[in-house]
PDB file of all heavy atoms in Angstrom:
ATOM      1  N   ALA A 297      15.872 -62.056  -9.250  1.00 84.00           N
ATOM      2  CA  ALA A 297      15.753 -63.393  -8.698  1.00 84.00           C
ATOM      3  C   ALA A 297      15.751 -64.418  -9.862  1.00 84.00           C
ATOM      4  O   ALA A 297      15.207 -64.150 -10.910  1.00 84.00           O
ATOM      5  CB  ALA A 297      14.458 -63.543  -7.918  1.00 84.00           C
ATOM      6  N   LYS A 298      16.406 -65.510  -9.623  1.00 87.00           N
ATOM      7  CA  LYS A 298      16.394 -66.575 -10.612  1.00 87.00           C
ATOM      8  C   LYS A 298      15.860 -67.823  -9.903  1.00 87.00           C
ATOM      9  O   LYS A 298      16.327 -68.216  -8.840  1.00 87.00           O
ATOM     10  CB  LYS A 298      17.794 -66.839 -11.130  1.00 87.00           C
ATOM     11  CG  LYS A 298      17.855 -67.959 -12.159  1.00 87.00           C
ATOM     12  CD  LYS A 298      19.229 -68.053 -12.762  1.00 87.00           C
ATOM     13  CE  LYS A 298      19.325 -69.217 -13.704  1.00 87.00           C
ATOM     14  NZ  LYS A 298      18.790 -69.014 -15.008  1.00 87.00           N
ATOM     15  N   ILE A 299      14.846 -68.432 -10.482  1.00 85.00           N
ATOM     16  CA  ILE A 299      14.263 -69.650  -9.954  1.00 85.00           C
ATOM     17  C   ILE A 299      14.809 -70.811 -10.733  1.00 85.00           C
ATOM     18  O   ILE A 299      14.607 -70.894 -11.967  1.00 85.00           O
ATOM     19  CB  ILE A 299      12.735 -69.596 -10.014  1.00 85.00           C
ATOM     20  CG1 ILE A 299      12.196 -68.388  -9.205  1.00 85.00           C
ATOM     21  CG2 ILE A 299      12.108 -70.897  -9.482  1.00 85.00           C
ATOM     22  CD1 ILE A 299      10.715 -68.123  -9.353  1.00 85.00           C
ATOM     23  N   ARG A 300      15.518 -71.669 -10.041  1.00 90.00           N
ATOM     24  CA  ARG A 300      16.103 -72.836 -10.707  1.00 90.00           C
ATOM     25  C   ARG A 300      15.092 -73.946 -10.795  1.00 90.00           C
ATOM     26  O   ARG A 300      14.339 -74.235  -9.841  1.00 90.00           O
ATOM     27  CB  ARG A 300      17.324 -73.317  -9.945  1.00 90.00           C
ATOM     28  CG  ARG A 300      18.488 -72.289 -10.016  1.00 90.00           C
ATOM     29  CD  ARG A 300      19.648 -72.787  -9.219  1.00 90.00           C
ATOM     30  NE  ARG A 300      19.315 -72.394  -7.825  1.00 90.00           N
ATOM     31  CZ  ARG A 300      20.008 -72.770  -6.787  1.00 90.00           C
ATOM     32  NH1 ARG A 300      21.064 -73.536  -6.909  1.00 90.00           N
ATOM     33  NH2 ARG A 300      19.652 -72.392  -5.572  1.00 90.00           N
ATOM     34  N   THR A 301      15.027 -74.563 -11.939  1.00 90.00           N
ATOM     35  CA  THR A 301      14.134 -75.687 -12.186  1.00 90.00           C
ATOM     36  C   THR A 301      14.961 -76.862 -12.678  1.00 90.00           C
ATOM     37  O   THR A 301      16.046 -76.671 -13.232  1.00 90.00           O
ATOM     38  CB  THR A 301      13.045 -75.335 -13.227  1.00 90.00           C
ATOM     39  OG1 THR A 301      13.666 -74.931 -14.426  1.00 90.00           O
ATOM     40  CG2 THR A 301      12.147 -74.212 -12.716  1.00 90.00           C
ATOM     41  N   PRO A 302      14.431 -78.057 -12.544  1.00 92.00           N
ATOM     42  CA  PRO A 302      15.168 -79.225 -13.048  1.00 92.00           C
ATOM     43  C   PRO A 302      15.395 -79.121 -14.559  1.00 92.00           C
ATOM     44  O   PRO A 302      14.547 -78.556 -15.285  1.00 92.00           O
ATOM     45  CB  PRO A 302      14.250 -80.407 -12.711  1.00 92.00           C
ATOM     46  CG  PRO A 302      13.360 -79.917 -11.603  1.00 92.00           C
ATOM     47  CD  PRO A 302      13.215 -78.449 -11.844  1.00 92.00           C
ATOM     48  N   GLU A 303      16.500 -79.650 -15.012  1.00 93.00           N
ATOM     49  CA  GLU A 303      16.805 -79.634 -16.442  1.00 93.00           C
ATOM     50  C   GLU A 303      15.682 -80.310 -17.220  1.00 93.00           C
ATOM     51  O   GLU A 303      15.166 -81.370 -16.848  1.00 93.00           O
ATOM     52  CB  GLU A 303      18.119 -80.430 -16.667  1.00 93.00           C
ATOM     53  CG  GLU A 303      18.692 -80.273 -18.052  1.00 93.00           C
ATOM     54  CD  GLU A 303      19.220 -78.884 -18.346  1.00 93.00           C
ATOM     55  OE1 GLU A 303      19.742 -78.256 -17.424  1.00 93.00           O
ATOM     56  OE2 GLU A 303      19.090 -78.450 -19.487  1.00 93.00           O
ATOM     57  N   GLY A 304      15.233 -79.648 -18.299  1.00 93.00           N
ATOM     58  CA  GLY A 304      14.206 -80.214 -19.134  1.00 93.00           C
ATOM     59  C   GLY A 304      12.778 -80.041 -18.614  1.00 93.00           C
ATOM     60  O   GLY A 304      11.839 -80.572 -19.187  1.00 93.00           O
ATOM     61  N   GLN A 305      12.584 -79.297 -17.538  1.00 92.00           N
ATOM     62  CA  GLN A 305      11.268 -79.107 -16.941  1.00 92.00           C
ATOM     63  C   GLN A 305      10.366 -78.322 -17.897  1.00 92.00           C
ATOM     64  O   GLN A 305      10.733 -77.262 -18.355  1.00 92.00           O
ATOM     65  CB  GLN A 305      11.383 -78.332 -15.627  1.00 92.00           C
ATOM     66  CG  GLN A 305      10.053 -77.939 -15.020  1.00 92.00           C
ATOM     67  CD  GLN A 305       9.304 -79.113 -14.429  1.00 92.00           C
ATOM     68  OE1 GLN A 305       9.850 -79.915 -13.726  1.00 92.00           O
ATOM     69  NE2 GLN A 305       8.029 -79.196 -14.757  1.00 92.00           N
ATOM     70  N   ASP A 306       9.201 -78.865 -18.200  1.00 92.00           N
ATOM     71  CA  ASP A 306       8.225 -78.149 -19.012  1.00 92.00           C
ATOM     72  C   ASP A 306       7.544 -77.114 -18.142  1.00 92.00           C
ATOM     73  O   ASP A 306       7.313 -77.341 -16.940  1.00 92.00           O
ATOM     74  CB  ASP A 306       7.160 -79.102 -19.556  1.00 92.00           C
ATOM     75  CG  ASP A 306       7.696 -80.033 -20.647  1.00 92.00           C
ATOM     76  OD1 ASP A 306       8.650 -79.634 -21.350  1.00 92.00           O
ATOM     77  OD2 ASP A 306       7.191 -81.156 -20.749  1.00 92.00           O
TER      78      ASP A 306
END
Side-chain angles (χ1 to χ4, degrees):
K298 181 173 174 81
I299 300 172
R300 292 177 279 172
T301 57
E303 191 70 35
Q305 173 71 48
D306 289 331

